[in-house]
Amino acid sequence: MKIYEIGTGYTSIPAQMGAATEIIVEELTRSFLKLNKDVQIIDIADKNRAETDLPITEVNVPSMFTKADLSLGILHKLKRVVYSVFLALKLIGMLKKAEEKVVLHFHNQYNMFFYLLLVPEKYRKNAVTAYTNHNGYWTLPWDEAEPVLKKRYFQEIECMKKADIVLVLNEQTKDNAVKYLNIDENRIVRVNNGVNTDIYKPLSNSEINKIKEKYNLKDKKIILQVGSVYENKGQKRMVEALMPLLTKKDDLVYAYVGGIVDEEYKNEIDILVDENGLHEKVVYLGMAKPGEELNELYNISGLTVFQSNYEAFGLVVVESLSAGTPVIISIKHFIDFGGGTADCKAEEIPEIIEKITDNFMLVDKLSERARQNALDNYTWDKIAENHLKAFANVKF
């Protein structure tokens, strides 16, 4: 059975920005290929696509919608709609020619919603539809999640109800879908995301020292946070929590990296830093390309912190583990990532950081656990095998 991994149209694949879903599509496809599966990516056309050996079928859209954006505003939504319409037209042509059932693996509500709306049922019968829910709002208690989901993600609700199989990244999403959407739990399968352990890996001490010099962080102990800069990710909360410890320890630095989604929120962080004289203690490193550049940042850091209010599954966590950098997680809905992670409340973070950074033996031990955890549980080949089992169990 041929598998089509559907790119969301947010950024082109391979992802040249930190677009998590595009990275997932890319890595799943590579692992399917290694497992000798017939797989192809369907993705937005991009004349600036990074050079790749991936099998990609492009969907042409008007040129004004090909530029990637981080604003998540009106243009972003319009781009999603336009791409989804042209994607549906592309799929009609492909399904007309299909000689056997294919798997269409969707990762975005707009893409699948317009597929259901525009592709005639006689052609949809030639496909098994799989929908992966990447949406962190589903991890919230239903009374908190419902207003947002029904207003902003009503398309996703429709996709989950209509998909032949729904893949979820945590148990809370499954529980909410079964209890409140009345989706048959047999159609919902829990899967994890993975990490490329050949890209995200520990570096030598000499390499780490050179990278620290490049970022003007020589002789510093670095606490790293990776993620788009906006309220959910909690960079400001992190600065507030760490302020006493940063003031106390001369060699400790909090560094955060990611695209700025909310300029006002970033300004609030800057004001907080200015008012408390933390210019040398709180460092914004801008955006980092996924892969080698981001791996360097994990490696120069003693710890990574994960501070989201809600999150479906944190790629940041498994990337950091794979690089051998332990992760401190403070999140309402905790996903048990295993060795090399510590779950705590936000107010406990400074105490845990101080305990770990002051004990070199403990740091080494946690680092070894983190890397081994990634190798044992989160390689993309293992994750791809779980996806294939889920696809194979669909009755059609």
Side-chain angles (χ1 to χ4, degrees):
M1 181 182 291
K2 188 175 183 69
I3 302 169
Y4 289 102
E5 285 290 325
I6 312 294
T8 69
Y10 178 37
T11 70
S12 58
I13 301 167
Q16 297 188 62
M17 303 191 320
T21 311
E22 278 62 39
I23 293 169
I24 292 163
V25 169
E26 176 183 350
E27 294 292 355
L28 265 181
T29 301
R30 291 193 184 281
S31 289
F32 287 151
L33 290 169
K34 287 168 64 177
L35 295 167
N36 296 315
K37 298 302 176 183
D38 188 3
V39 60
Q40 191 163 24
I41 294 172
I42 303 177
D43 190 34
I44 191 168
D46 182 4
K47 64 181 180 180
N48 297 315
R49 185 188 308 278
E51 185 176 345
T52 181
D53 57 352
L54 291 167
I56 298 176
T57 294
E58 292 194 327
V59 176
N60 291 306
V61 299
S63 58
M64 67 176 292
F65 296 108
T66 59
K67 184 179 179 181
D69 70 280
L70 292 172
S71 66
L72 304 182
I74 296 299
L75 181 61
H76 175 83
K77 292 181 174 64
L78 184 58
K79 176 183 177 180
R80 288 286 178 93
V81 171
V82 170
Y83 168 68
S84 297
V85 170
F86 281 83
L87 170 66
L89 298 177
K90 173 70 78 172
L91 292 175
I92 289 174
M94 295 172 62
L95 293 175
K96 278 183 181 180
K97 301 174 183 177
E99 296 180 357
E100 61 177 350
K101 284 265 190 179
V102 300
V103 174
L104 299 180
H105 185 190
F106 291 93
H107 298 263
N108 175 267
Q109 61 168 346
Y110 287 88
N111 301 163
M112 185 169 173
F113 181 82
F114 282 94
Y115 164 81
L116 295 170
L117 184 67
L118 299 176
V119 178
E121 186 177 357
K122 63 181 179 180
Y123 301 131
R124 284 193 273 123
K125 288 180 179 179
N126 292 335
V128 170
T129 52
Y131 183 80
T132 293
N133 184 316
H134 298 275
N135 185 351
Y137 278 109
W138 289 86
T139 66
L140 296 171
W142 187 249
D143 60 341
E144 294 181 46
E146 183 181 20
V148 178
L149 294 176
K150 290 190 173 179
K151 181 179 180 180
R152 293 172 51 188
Y153 297 97
F154 62 92
Q155 296 169 327
E156 184 161 70
I157 292 173
E158 184 72 6
C159 294
M160 293 171 69
K161 288 181 176 179
K162 296 288 181 65
D164 294 306
I165 184 170
V166 179
L167 306 176
V168 298
L169 302 171
N170 54 75
E171 290 301 321
Q172 185 61 43
T173 298
K174 180 175 182 177
D175 292 345
N176 279 337
V178 171
K179 186 173 181 180
Y180 298 105
L181 298 187
N182 297 314
I183 297 176
D184 182 352
E185 64 179 339
N186 294 318
R187 288 200 298 114
I188 305 179
V189 177
R190 164 74 189 277
V191 295
N192 288 329
N193 283 327
V195 61
N196 189 322
T197 54
D198 294 326
I199 293 176
Y200 294 96
K201 59 186 179 181
L203 301 176
S204 68
N205 288 333
S206 60
E207 289 174 301
I208 290 171
N209 288 333
K210 288 179 182 178
I211 298 164
K212 280 190 172 184
E213 287 183 5
K214 180 174 71 174
Y215 286 102
N216 295 317
L217 292 170
K218 185 180 178 181
D219 299 325
K220 299 296 184 182
K221 293 179 180 177
I222 301 161
I223 308 304
L224 179 69
Q225 184 165 355
V226 178
S228 300
V229 182
Y230 71 115
E231 198 279 333
N232 173 50
K233 299 295 184 179
Q235 290 89 352
K236 183 182 177 183
R237 294 193 300 276
M238 199 69 252
V239 173
E240 291 170 337
L242 288 177
M243 201 179 301
L245 189 59
L246 292 172
T247 303
K248 175 182 177 182
K249 290 188 170 291
D250 292 337
D251 61 350
L252 193 65
V253 169
Y254 165 70
Y256 63 108
V257 57
I260 301 172
V261 172
D262 186 338
E263 290 282 356
E264 185 175 343
Y265 184 75
K266 175 63 168 66
N267 288 337
E268 290 176 5
I269 297 173
D270 292 342
I271 291 170
L272 183 63
V273 169
D274 287 342
E275 289 178 344
N276 291 276
L278 295 172
H279 300 95
E280 295 182 2
K281 310 293 291 183
V282 176
V283 181
Y284 174 56
L285 298 177
M287 289 187 63
K289 290 183 179 180
E292 181 179 344
E293 185 176 334
L294 190 52
N295 184 58
E296 288 183 347
L297 293 176
Y298 289 127
N299 267 272
I300 65 173
S301 304
L303 292 167
T304 299
V305 289
F306 191 68
Q307 250 280 305
S308 302
N309 284 327
Y310 51 85
E311 199 89 25
F313 184 100
L315 280 180
V316 168
V317 177
V318 290
E319 289 170 353
S320 184
L321 293 176
S322 187
T325 303
V327 186
I328 299 176
I329 299 173
S330 175
I331 185 171
K332 290 180 182 178
H333 175 74
F334 174 61
I335 302 166
D336 185 3
F337 286 98
T341 60
D343 176 33
C344 66
K345 297 178 181 178
E347 58 268 24
E348 297 172 332
I349 290 178
E351 180 181 350
I352 293 174
I353 288 177
E354 186 167 23
K355 179 180 179 181
I356 293 174
T357 54
D358 285 350
N359 188 329
F360 288 108
M361 290 182 64
L362 180 58
V363 170
D364 289 343
K365 188 175 182 179
L366 288 173
S367 180
E368 290 175 7
R369 284 183 184 175
R371 174 64 177 175
Q372 196 59 51
N373 181 11
L375 292 171
D376 290 344
N377 300 302
Y378 293 108
T379 66
W380 275 113
D381 289 352
K382 293 178 186 292
I383 303 306
E385 288 176 351
N386 292 336
H387 279 74
L388 291 173
K389 289 176 185 176
F391 296 158
N393 287 334
V394 176
K395 297 179 180 179
F396 55 87

